[in-house]
């Protein structure tokens, strides 16, 4: 299991946090995703054999947010 913490751009409220968390946890191989509005960061635990950062970014972008490096 791998874990990353990455900045999330485009969040404005608590509803945004929920959307980002749902988008990230919908990716196959993601065990958990925790998003903090105050720090504008997401911490994601995932199986690197099943997914990668590119797929996580795609999920965030599809929800309307940017998962930065």
């Amino acid at each position: 299991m791998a874990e990353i913490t990455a900045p999330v751009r485009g969040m404005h409220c608590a509803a945004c946090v929920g959307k980002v968390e749902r988008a990230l946890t919908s990716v196959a191989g993601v065990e958990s995703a925790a998003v903090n509005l105050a720090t504008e960061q997401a911490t994601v635990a995932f199986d690197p054999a099943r997914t990668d950062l590119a797929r996580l970014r795609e999920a965030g972008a599809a929800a309307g947010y940017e998962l930065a490096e």
Side-chain angles (χ1 to χ4, degrees), residues 40-58:
E40 296 183 334
Q41 298 216 343
T43 301
V44 184
F46 64 97
D47 179 353
R50 297 182 64 202
T51 194
D52 57 20
L53 184 56
R55 288 192 184 117
L56 298 175
R57 283 197 180 125
E58 289 170 7

Side-chain angles (χ1 to χ4, degrees), residues 10-23 35 37 63 65:
M11 295 190 302
H12 304 288
C13 63
C16 294
V17 170
K19 281 181 70 177
V20 174
E21 287 179 346
R22 282 191 299 279
V35 179
L37 180 61
Y65 304 92

